[in-house]
Structures are given as structure tokens and as C-alpha cells.
Amino acid sequence: MSSQIDPAALVQAIGDALIACNEDKVLELVKSGLAQGVSAKDLLSRGLIAGMDVVGERMEKEEMFIPEVLVAAKAMSAAVQTLKPLLAEGETGAQGRVVIGTVKGDLHDIGKNLVAMMLEGAGFEIMDLGVDVGP
């Protein structure tokens, strides 16, 4: 994007692109926001996390389904990877550490991965033990 966008409109557009599952647009807007001097913390909390909150609400209302939620989470994860170096520089400290895994006997990891991405996006350090994890 070559023109300036109002920061409030930009973070709203990031959330809207995330809700629409448009990874390319999310990344374009995040990079544009950084270029305009919008803080990584604002892009994360007011754009990405706010958008995923809406995705979660829509899933609860059965207006969005798991495949769409996963595509939105993938878009968020890609954007978080862009923001991560800036967040690590001290704009925001880690909220804490989370150890996550799927219990022994369960090889499904969709929910675990979604939770891990959202927690990472919220600033938590994630230690993913994987699937089929015994005591």
C-alpha cells in the first residue's frame, strides 16, 4: 500500500481481512502498518487478536466452521511471524510460558494448534509437546 491509512482504520482492516480469511491482505496491511509507524503491539492486539475474537464468536454461533477458523489462524500466524522480531525487541514482554500437547492416545492436533497460535499471538511463549504425549 502506497498511501497512508488512518491507524484506527488500518487495524480494523487487518481484523476484517483476518475474518475474511485473506492471508495476503492481512500480511500486506501488517507490513503497511509497520511502515507507517503503527506499533507491533497495536497491530497484534487491536487488529489480529480482535479479528480472531470475532472469528471465535462466529464459530460459536455456527456462522464460521473449523476449516475457516484454521485458515484465519494460519493468516494470523503468518502475521505474528512478521511482528515477532519487533515484539521480541521489547515492545511487549512475554505474558508467560505455556506448555501444550495432545494427550496419549489422541492424534488429533487441530484444536491444540489453534490454541497455541492464539496464545502465541497474545504474547505467550509456547512449548508444543506435539501429539500422543504420555504423562
Side-chain angles (χ1 to χ4, degrees), residues 1-5 28 32 35-36:
M1 297 201 136
S2 57
S3 62
Q4 294 277 348
I5 298 177
E28 174 188 335
S32 177
Q36 292 180 45

Side-chain angles (χ1 to χ4, degrees), residues 3-56:
S3 62
Q4 294 277 348
I5 298 177
D6 172 57
L10 186 124
V11 294
Q12 179 65 47
I14 289 170
D16 292 345
L18 191 65
I19 295 162
C21 302
N22 187 337
E23 181 177 341
D24 292 337
K25 187 70 170 177
V26 169
L27 290 172
E28 174 188 335
L29 290 166
V30 165
K31 290 174 184 175
S32 177
L34 291 172
Q36 292 180 45
V38 179
S39 75
K41 181 181 177 185
D42 279 346
L43 295 172
L44 176 65
S45 63
R46 294 180 37 226
L48 296 168
I49 293 174
M52 282 306 290
D53 286 346
V54 172
V55 168

Side-chain angles (χ1 to χ4, degrees), residues 45-105:
S45 63
R46 294 180 37 226
L48 296 168
I49 293 174
M52 282 306 290
D53 286 346
V54 172
V55 168
E57 290 168 9
R58 289 186 179 180
M59 188 180 86
E60 285 180 19
K61 295 177 183 176
E62 296 183 0
E63 295 170 357
M64 288 183 88
F65 300 96
I66 294 292
E68 296 163 302
V69 174
L70 291 174
V71 172
K74 181 179 176 285
M76 180 173 176
S77 181
V80 167
Q81 292 307 312
T82 299
L83 297 175
K84 193 180 263 187
L86 297 170
L87 296 170
E89 286 176 3
E91 273 198 29
T92 185
Q95 298 289 333
R97 292 186 182 128
V98 175
V99 178
I100 192 166
T102 304
V103 298
K104 185 150 188 76

Side-chain angles (χ1 to χ4, degrees), residues 92-99 119-120 122-127:
T92 185
Q95 298 289 333
R97 292 186 182 128
V98 175
V99 178
L119 287 170
E120 185 176 28
F124 288 88
E125 182 182 335
I126 304 299
M127 179 183 288

